[in-house]
Amino acid sequence: MKKLFLICTLCIALACKEDSKTTSNQDNTTIETKRLVGEFVYYADAAVFQVKNDIYGVIIDDQMQALNNEAKAYKKEATDMVIADVEAQILPKNKDEEGWPYKLKIEKIYSVKALDPNKNDVIKLGK
């Protein structure tokens, strides 16, 4: 029985895969690409991606615009967030930039869906 348990545990451990890739660029800095699922919002020339307790600024480029266009179908208001499943590079921000310590450069969009309507963490005033 112990051998069976050990074999099953090893099979599960070897089958688990983290969707992460690393590449090096000309400056010998490592660029990490990860698959992330989190909340995305783009409003007033600022894009934010939140995964659990981590918040990233999103680089505004064609891929971010494509993600925002897909997200519009699920938003009731411009400030609403959506759930996005993306593959992105995690880059440190430049020292002269404001914002979060890391930013995302979206490489691939897997899916976009509406935020759970029962999860209402937003407080709205004046309505």
Side-chain angles (χ1 to χ4, degrees):
M1 186 70 177
K2 289 182 183 180
K3 288 181 183 179
L4 180 63
F5 178 73
L6 180 61
I7 291 171
C8 289
T9 305
L10 285 174
C11 288
I12 292 171
L14 294 175
C16 294
K17 178 182 141 188
E18 183 176 320
D19 291 339
S20 176
K21 302 177 212 168
T22 56
T23 58
S24 296
N25 62 8
Q26 295 172 351
D27 301 333
N28 288 332
T29 57
T30 302
I31 299 172
E32 184 177 8
T33 302
K34 276 190 166 183
R35 187 165 178 177
L36 303 167
V37 177
E39 298 176 3
F40 169 78
V41 66
Y42 174 62
Y43 183 73
D45 296 330
V48 177
F49 198 93
Q50 180 177 352
V51 180
K52 296 182 184 174
N53 293 332
D54 296 324
I55 299 177
Y56 304 98
V58 180
I59 295 172
I60 299 173
D61 60 5
D62 291 340
Q63 280 293 91
M64 192 284 315
Q65 295 292 351
L67 177 59
N68 187 52
N69 287 337
E70 287 186 41
K72 285 179 184 178
Y74 301 102
K75 292 181 172 187
K76 293 179 182 161
E77 296 182 29
T79 56
D80 288 347
M81 297 183 105
V82 296
I83 301 293
D85 182 357
V86 299
E87 186 174 306
Q89 292 180 4
I90 301 173
L91 306 167
K93 75 171 177 85
N94 296 331
K95 293 178 182 178
D96 59 340
E97 286 182 319
E98 291 183 19
W100 291 278
Y102 294 95
K103 56 188 175 181
L104 295 182
K105 179 171 181 14
I106 297 172
E107 297 292 323
K108 186 174 182 180
I109 303 165
Y110 292 103
S111 68
V112 179
K113 60 184 179 180
L115 194 61
D116 182 7
N118 295 326
K119 182 182 177 188
N120 189 5
D121 295 342
V122 179
I123 299 172
K124 296 188 180 185
L125 302 174
K127 199 164 190 185

PDB file of all heavy atoms in Angstrom, residues 62-89:
ATOM      1  N   ASP A  62      -0.609  46.938 -28.828  1.00  0.00           N
ATOM      2  CA  ASP A  62      -1.678  46.323 -29.623  1.00  0.00           C
ATOM      3  C   ASP A  62      -2.345  45.157 -28.898  1.00  0.00           C
ATOM      4  O   ASP A  62      -3.562  44.994 -28.970  1.00  0.00           O
ATOM      5  CB  ASP A  62      -1.130  45.843 -30.969  1.00  0.00           C
ATOM      6  CG  ASP A  62      -0.736  47.006 -31.870  1.00  0.00           C
ATOM      7  OD1 ASP A  62      -1.223  48.132 -31.634  1.00  0.00           O
ATOM      8  OD2 ASP A  62       0.054  46.788 -32.813  1.00  0.00           O
ATOM      9  N   GLN A  63      -1.573  44.336 -28.199  1.00  0.00           N
ATOM     10  CA  GLN A  63      -2.145  43.190 -27.482  1.00  0.00           C
ATOM     11  C   GLN A  63      -3.043  43.665 -26.337  1.00  0.00           C
ATOM     12  O   GLN A  63      -4.097  43.092 -26.091  1.00  0.00           O
ATOM     13  CB  GLN A  63      -1.046  42.280 -26.930  1.00  0.00           C
ATOM     14  CG  GLN A  63      -0.453  41.348 -27.955  1.00  0.00           C
ATOM     15  CD  GLN A  63      -1.437  40.313 -28.433  1.00  0.00           C
ATOM     16  OE1 GLN A  63      -2.140  40.523 -29.420  1.00  0.00           O
ATOM     17  NE2 GLN A  63      -1.515  39.195 -27.755  1.00  0.00           N
ATOM     18  N   MET A  64      -2.636  44.716 -25.632  1.00  0.00           N
ATOM     19  CA  MET A  64      -3.467  45.253 -24.560  1.00  0.00           C
ATOM     20  C   MET A  64      -4.758  45.826 -25.131  1.00  0.00           C
ATOM     21  O   MET A  64      -5.830  45.646 -24.569  1.00  0.00           O
ATOM     22  CB  MET A  64      -2.705  46.327 -23.779  1.00  0.00           C
ATOM     23  CG  MET A  64      -3.351  46.747 -22.468  1.00  0.00           C
ATOM     24  SD  MET A  64      -4.794  47.835 -22.475  1.00  0.00           S
ATOM     25  CE  MET A  64      -4.382  49.090 -23.635  1.00  0.00           C
ATOM     26  N   GLN A  65      -4.660  46.492 -26.282  1.00  0.00           N
ATOM     27  CA  GLN A  65      -5.857  47.042 -26.930  1.00  0.00           C
ATOM     28  C   GLN A  65      -6.797  45.917 -27.365  1.00  0.00           C
ATOM     29  O   GLN A  65      -8.019  46.038 -27.238  1.00  0.00           O
ATOM     30  CB  GLN A  65      -5.471  47.898 -28.145  1.00  0.00           C
ATOM     31  CG  GLN A  65      -4.689  49.145 -27.793  1.00  0.00           C
ATOM     32  CD  GLN A  65      -5.486  50.190 -27.034  1.00  0.00           C
ATOM     33  OE1 GLN A  65      -6.697  50.104 -26.885  1.00  0.00           O
ATOM     34  NE2 GLN A  65      -4.787  51.183 -26.522  1.00  0.00           N
ATOM     35  N   ALA A  66      -6.239  44.799 -27.857  1.00  0.00           N
ATOM     36  CA  ALA A  66      -7.062  43.647 -28.243  1.00  0.00           C
ATOM     37  C   ALA A  66      -7.764  43.066 -27.018  1.00  0.00           C
ATOM     38  O   ALA A  66      -8.947  42.706 -27.086  1.00  0.00           O
ATOM     39  CB  ALA A  66      -6.197  42.587 -28.917  1.00  0.00           C
ATOM     40  N   LEU A  67      -7.051  42.981 -25.901  1.00  0.00           N
ATOM     41  CA  LEU A  67      -7.659  42.490 -24.662  1.00  0.00           C
ATOM     42  C   LEU A  67      -8.769  43.427 -24.209  1.00  0.00           C
ATOM     43  O   LEU A  67      -9.857  42.984 -23.824  1.00  0.00           O
ATOM     44  CB  LEU A  67      -6.599  42.351 -23.568  1.00  0.00           C
ATOM     45  CG  LEU A  67      -7.086  41.919 -22.185  1.00  0.00           C
ATOM     46  CD1 LEU A  67      -7.790  40.570 -22.243  1.00  0.00           C
ATOM     47  CD2 LEU A  67      -5.929  41.880 -21.210  1.00  0.00           C
ATOM     48  N   ASN A  68      -8.544  44.720 -24.297  1.00  0.00           N
ATOM     49  CA  ASN A  68      -9.568  45.686 -23.905  1.00  0.00           C
ATOM     50  C   ASN A  68     -10.792  45.590 -24.816  1.00  0.00           C
ATOM     51  O   ASN A  68     -11.927  45.698 -24.339  1.00  0.00           O
ATOM     52  CB  ASN A  68      -8.999  47.106 -23.917  1.00  0.00           C
ATOM     53  CG  ASN A  68      -9.985  48.101 -23.364  1.00  0.00           C
ATOM     54  OD1 ASN A  68     -10.523  47.917 -22.271  1.00  0.00           O
ATOM     55  ND2 ASN A  68     -10.244  49.152 -24.110  1.00  0.00           N
ATOM     56  N   ASN A  69     -10.582  45.394 -26.102  1.00  0.00           N
ATOM     57  CA  ASN A  69     -11.718  45.253 -27.027  1.00  0.00           C
ATOM     58  C   ASN A  69     -12.551  44.020 -26.692  1.00  0.00           C
ATOM     59  O   ASN A  69     -13.779  44.065 -26.756  1.00  0.00           O
ATOM     60  CB  ASN A  69     -11.230  45.201 -28.472  1.00  0.00           C
ATOM     61  CG  ASN A  69     -10.756  46.553 -28.954  1.00  0.00           C
ATOM     62  OD1 ASN A  69     -11.153  47.591 -28.427  1.00  0.00           O
ATOM     63  ND2 ASN A  69      -9.890  46.551 -29.941  1.00  0.00           N
ATOM     64  N   GLU A  70     -11.900  42.910 -26.333  1.00  0.00           N
ATOM     65  CA  GLU A  70     -12.642  41.716 -25.915  1.00  0.00           C
ATOM     66  C   GLU A  70     -13.369  41.963 -24.594  1.00  0.00           C
ATOM     67  O   GLU A  70     -14.468  41.462 -24.383  1.00  0.00           O
ATOM     68  CB  GLU A  70     -11.697  40.528 -25.766  1.00  0.00           C
ATOM     69  CG  GLU A  70     -11.209  39.964 -27.067  1.00  0.00           C
ATOM     70  CD  GLU A  70     -10.402  38.696 -26.893  1.00  0.00           C
ATOM     71  OE1 GLU A  70     -10.795  37.853 -26.058  1.00  0.00           O
ATOM     72  OE2 GLU A  70      -9.382  38.550 -27.583  1.00  0.00           O
ATOM     73  N   ALA A  71     -12.766  42.743 -23.716  1.00  0.00           N
ATOM     74  CA  ALA A  71     -13.350  43.001 -22.392  1.00  0.00           C
ATOM     75  C   ALA A  71     -14.580  43.898 -22.462  1.00  0.00           C
ATOM     76  O   ALA A  71     -15.467  43.793 -21.614  1.00  0.00           O
ATOM     77  CB  ALA A  71     -12.301  43.640 -21.484  1.00  0.00           C
ATOM     78  N   LYS A  72     -14.669  44.753 -23.460  1.00  0.00           N
ATOM     79  CA  LYS A  72     -15.797  45.687 -23.564  1.00  0.00           C
ATOM     80  C   LYS A  72     -17.146  44.976 -23.595  1.00  0.00           C
ATOM     81  O   LYS A  72     -18.139  45.500 -23.102  1.00  0.00           O
ATOM     82  CB  LYS A  72     -15.645  46.565 -24.811  1.00  0.00           C
ATOM     83  CG  LYS A  72     -14.602  47.636 -24.661  1.00  0.00           C
ATOM     84  CD  LYS A  72     -14.475  48.461 -25.929  1.00  0.00           C
ATOM     85  CE  LYS A  72     -13.355  49.478 -25.792  1.00  0.00           C
ATOM     86  NZ  LYS A  72     -13.183  50.254 -27.029  1.00  0.00           N
ATOM     87  N   ALA A  73     -17.187  43.783 -24.156  1.00  0.00           N
ATOM     88  CA  ALA A  73     -18.444  43.038 -24.248  1.00  0.00           C
ATOM     89  C   ALA A  73     -18.969  42.619 -22.873  1.00  0.00           C
ATOM     90  O   ALA A  73     -20.162  42.371 -22.717  1.00  0.00           O
ATOM     91  CB  ALA A  73     -18.244  41.803 -25.120  1.00  0.00           C
ATOM     92  N   TYR A  74     -18.102  42.567 -21.871  1.00  0.00           N
ATOM     93  CA  TYR A  74     -18.489  42.090 -20.543  1.00  0.00           C
ATOM     94  C   TYR A  74     -18.632  43.217 -19.517  1.00  0.00           C
ATOM     95  O   TYR A  74     -18.964  42.964 -18.369  1.00  0.00           O
ATOM     96  CB  TYR A  74     -17.460  41.078 -20.033  1.00  0.00           C
ATOM     97  CG  TYR A  74     -17.324  39.898 -20.961  1.00  0.00           C
ATOM     98  CD1 TYR A  74     -16.248  39.793 -21.838  1.00  0.00           C
ATOM     99  CD2 TYR A  74     -18.287  38.900 -20.981  1.00  0.00           C
ATOM    100  CE1 TYR A  74     -16.130  38.710 -22.689  1.00  0.00           C
ATOM    101  CE2 TYR A  74     -18.182  37.813 -21.832  1.00  0.00           C
ATOM    102  CZ  TYR A  74     -17.091  37.727 -22.687  1.00  0.00           C
ATOM    103  OH  TYR A  74     -16.984  36.663 -23.531  1.00  0.00           O
ATOM    104  N   LYS A  75     -18.380  44.441 -19.917  1.00  0.00           N
ATOM    105  CA  LYS A  75     -18.426  45.574 -18.989  1.00  0.00           C
ATOM    106  C   LYS A  75     -19.773  46.286 -19.061  1.00  0.00           C
ATOM    107  O   LYS A  75     -20.309  46.490 -20.142  1.00  0.00           O
ATOM    108  CB  LYS A  75     -17.325  46.586 -19.326  1.00  0.00           C
ATOM    109  CG  LYS A  75     -15.934  46.112 -19.081  1.00  0.00           C
ATOM    110  CD  LYS A  75     -14.974  47.231 -19.443  1.00  0.00           C
ATOM    111  CE  LYS A  75     -13.563  46.935 -19.053  1.00  0.00           C
ATOM    112  NZ  LYS A  75     -12.706  48.103 -19.264  1.00  0.00           N
ATOM    113  N   LYS A  76     -20.271  46.693 -17.899  1.00  0.00           N
ATOM    114  CA  LYS A  76     -21.460  47.538 -17.851  1.00  0.00           C
ATOM    115  C   LYS A  76     -21.052  48.999 -17.774  1.00  0.00           C
ATOM    116  O   LYS A  76     -21.722  49.869 -18.290  1.00  0.00           O
ATOM    117  CB  LYS A  76     -22.316  47.158 -16.648  1.00  0.00           C
ATOM    118  CG  LYS A  76     -22.917  45.775 -16.774  1.00  0.00           C
ATOM    119  CD  LYS A  76     -23.731  45.397 -15.575  1.00  0.00           C
ATOM    120  CE  LYS A  76     -24.250  43.983 -15.740  1.00  0.00           C
ATOM    121  NZ  LYS A  76     -24.657  43.380 -14.505  1.00  0.00           N
ATOM    122  N   GLU A  77     -19.943  49.252 -17.083  1.00  0.00           N
ATOM    123  CA  GLU A  77     -19.389  50.600 -16.971  1.00  0.00           C
ATOM    124  C   GLU A  77     -17.927  50.544 -17.377  1.00  0.00           C
ATOM    125  O   GLU A  77     -17.299  49.488 -17.315  1.00  0.00           O
ATOM    126  CB  GLU A  77     -19.518  51.100 -15.532  1.00  0.00           C
ATOM    127  CG  GLU A  77     -20.955  51.261 -15.076  1.00  0.00           C
ATOM    128  CD  GLU A  77     -21.047  51.808 -13.658  1.00  0.00           C
ATOM    129  OE1 GLU A  77     -20.136  52.547 -13.244  1.00  0.00           O
ATOM    130  OE2 GLU A  77     -22.022  51.477 -12.983  1.00  0.00           O
ATOM    131  N   ALA A  78     -17.374  51.678 -17.752  1.00  0.00           N
ATOM    132  CA  ALA A  78     -15.990  51.729 -18.230  1.00  0.00           C
ATOM    133  C   ALA A  78     -14.980  51.288 -17.174  1.00  0.00           C
ATOM    134  O   ALA A  78     -13.899  50.800 -17.516  1.00  0.00           O
ATOM    135  CB  ALA A  78     -15.661  53.140 -18.702  1.00  0.00           C
ATOM    136  N   THR A  79     -15.320  51.421 -15.910  1.00  0.00           N
ATOM    137  CA  THR A  79     -14.392  51.070 -14.835  1.00  0.00           C
ATOM    138  C   THR A  79     -14.541  49.632 -14.343  1.00  0.00           C
ATOM    139  O   THR A  79     -13.844  49.225 -13.421  1.00  0.00           O
ATOM    140  CB  THR A  79     -14.590  52.022 -13.640  1.00  0.00           C
ATOM    141  OG1 THR A  79     -15.959  51.975 -13.241  1.00  0.00           O
ATOM    142  CG2 THR A  79     -14.206  53.436 -14.011  1.00  0.00           C
ATOM    143  N   ASP A  80     -15.434  48.858 -14.950  1.00  0.00           N
ATOM    144  CA  ASP A  80     -15.624  47.462 -14.541  1.00  0.00           C
ATOM    145  C   ASP A  80     -14.409  46.620 -14.919  1.00  0.00           C
ATOM    146  O   ASP A  80     -13.802  46.816 -15.968  1.00  0.00           O
ATOM    147  CB  ASP A  80     -16.867  46.869 -15.192  1.00  0.00           C
ATOM    148  CG  ASP A  80     -18.152  47.420 -14.610  1.00  0.00           C
ATOM    149  OD1 ASP A  80     -18.098  48.068 -13.541  1.00  0.00           O
ATOM    150  OD2 ASP A  80     -19.214  47.218 -15.234  1.00  0.00           O
ATOM    151  N   MET A  81     -14.111  45.650 -14.061  1.00  0.00           N
ATOM    152  CA  MET A  81     -13.023  44.717 -14.331  1.00  0.00           C
ATOM    153  C   MET A  81     -13.586  43.449 -14.964  1.00  0.00           C
ATOM    154  O   MET A  81     -14.766  43.156 -14.820  1.00  0.00           O
ATOM    155  CB  MET A  81     -12.283  44.365 -13.039  1.00  0.00           C
ATOM    156  CG  MET A  81     -11.607  45.546 -12.388  1.00  0.00           C
ATOM    157  SD  MET A  81     -10.688  45.071 -10.921  1.00  0.00           S
ATOM    158  CE  MET A  81      -9.042  45.159 -11.579  1.00  0.00           C
ATOM    159  N   VAL A  82     -12.728  42.716 -15.659  1.00  0.00           N
ATOM    160  CA  VAL A  82     -13.084  41.427 -16.236  1.00  0.00           C
ATOM    161  C   VAL A  82     -12.023  40.404 -15.814  1.00  0.00           C
ATOM    162  O   VAL A  82     -10.927  40.772 -15.416  1.00  0.00           O
ATOM    163  CB  VAL A  82     -13.178  41.476 -17.781  1.00  0.00           C
ATOM    164  CG1 VAL A  82     -14.293  42.391 -18.234  1.00  0.00           C
ATOM    165  CG2 VAL A  82     -11.856  41.885 -18.395  1.00  0.00           C
ATOM    166  N   ILE A  83     -12.375  39.135 -15.928  1.00  0.00           N
ATOM    167  CA  ILE A  83     -11.408  38.071 -15.673  1.00  0.00           C
ATOM    168  C   ILE A  83     -10.710  37.759 -17.000  1.00  0.00           C
ATOM    169  O   ILE A  83     -11.369  37.482 -17.998  1.00  0.00           O
ATOM    170  CB  ILE A  83     -12.100  36.798 -15.141  1.00  0.00           C
ATOM    171  CG1 ILE A  83     -12.844  37.089 -13.849  1.00  0.00           C
ATOM    172  CG2 ILE A  83     -11.089  35.668 -14.955  1.00  0.00           C
ATOM    173  CD1 ILE A  83     -11.961  37.444 -12.683  1.00  0.00           C
ATOM    174  N   ALA A  84      -9.393  37.815 -17.002  1.00  0.00           N
ATOM    175  CA  ALA A  84      -8.626  37.554 -18.212  1.00  0.00           C
ATOM    176  C   ALA A  84      -7.608  36.451 -17.950  1.00  0.00           C
ATOM    177  O   ALA A  84      -7.013  36.382 -16.874  1.00  0.00           O
ATOM    178  CB  ALA A  84      -7.922  38.818 -18.677  1.00  0.00           C
ATOM    179  N   ASP A  85      -7.427  35.612 -18.930  1.00  0.00           N
ATOM    180  CA  ASP A  85      -6.432  34.541 -18.908  1.00  0.00           C
ATOM    181  C   ASP A  85      -5.447  34.875 -20.016  1.00  0.00           C
ATOM    182  O   ASP A  85      -5.793  34.814 -21.199  1.00  0.00           O
ATOM    183  CB  ASP A  85      -7.127  33.198 -19.145  1.00  0.00           C
ATOM    184  CG  ASP A  85      -6.176  32.019 -19.098  1.00  0.00           C
ATOM    185  OD1 ASP A  85      -4.956  32.220 -18.930  1.00  0.00           O
ATOM    186  OD2 ASP A  85      -6.666  30.880 -19.248  1.00  0.00           O
ATOM    187  N   VAL A  86      -4.229  35.264 -19.642  1.00  0.00           N
ATOM    188  CA  VAL A  86      -3.250  35.734 -20.613  1.00  0.00           C
ATOM    189  C   VAL A  86      -1.881  35.112 -20.354  1.00  0.00           C
ATOM    190  O   VAL A  86      -1.605  34.629 -19.265  1.00  0.00           O
ATOM    191  CB  VAL A  86      -3.106  37.276 -20.582  1.00  0.00           C
ATOM    192  CG1 VAL A  86      -4.403  37.968 -20.914  1.00  0.00           C
ATOM    193  CG2 VAL A  86      -2.565  37.760 -19.253  1.00  0.00           C
ATOM    194  N   GLU A  87      -1.059  35.168 -21.375  1.00  0.00           N
ATOM    195  CA  GLU A  87       0.359  34.861 -21.231  1.00  0.00           C
ATOM    196  C   GLU A  87       1.082  36.194 -21.381  1.00  0.00           C
ATOM    197  O   GLU A  87       0.830  36.936 -22.328  1.00  0.00           O
ATOM    198  CB  GLU A  87       0.811  33.882 -22.306  1.00  0.00           C
ATOM    199  CG  GLU A  87       2.241  33.420 -22.130  1.00  0.00           C
ATOM    200  CD  GLU A  87       2.591  32.337 -23.133  1.00  0.00           C
ATOM    201  OE1 GLU A  87       1.864  31.334 -23.206  1.00  0.00           O
ATOM    202  OE2 GLU A  87       3.601  32.526 -23.841  1.00  0.00           O
ATOM    203  N   ALA A  88       1.946  36.489 -20.425  1.00  0.00           N
ATOM    204  CA  ALA A  88       2.577  37.810 -20.439  1.00  0.00           C
ATOM    205  C   ALA A  88       3.997  37.749 -19.907  1.00  0.00           C
ATOM    206  O   ALA A  88       4.343  36.880 -19.105  1.00  0.00           O
ATOM    207  CB  ALA A  88       1.761  38.785 -19.586  1.00  0.00           C
ATOM    208  N   GLN A  89       4.800  38.694 -20.371  1.00  0.00           N
ATOM    209  CA  GLN A  89       6.142  38.881 -19.821  1.00  0.00           C
ATOM    210  C   GLN A  89       6.017  39.745 -18.575  1.00  0.00           C
ATOM    211  O   GLN A  89       5.292  40.744 -18.586  1.00  0.00           O
ATOM    212  CB  GLN A  89       7.048  39.585 -20.818  1.00  0.00           C
ATOM    213  CG  GLN A  89       7.392  38.784 -22.024  1.00  0.00           C
ATOM    214  CD  GLN A  89       8.291  39.555 -22.981  1.00  0.00           C
ATOM    215  OE1 GLN A  89       8.722  40.677 -22.697  1.00  0.00           O
ATOM    216  NE2 GLN A  89       8.579  38.953 -24.114  1.00  0.00           N
TER     217      GLN A  89
END
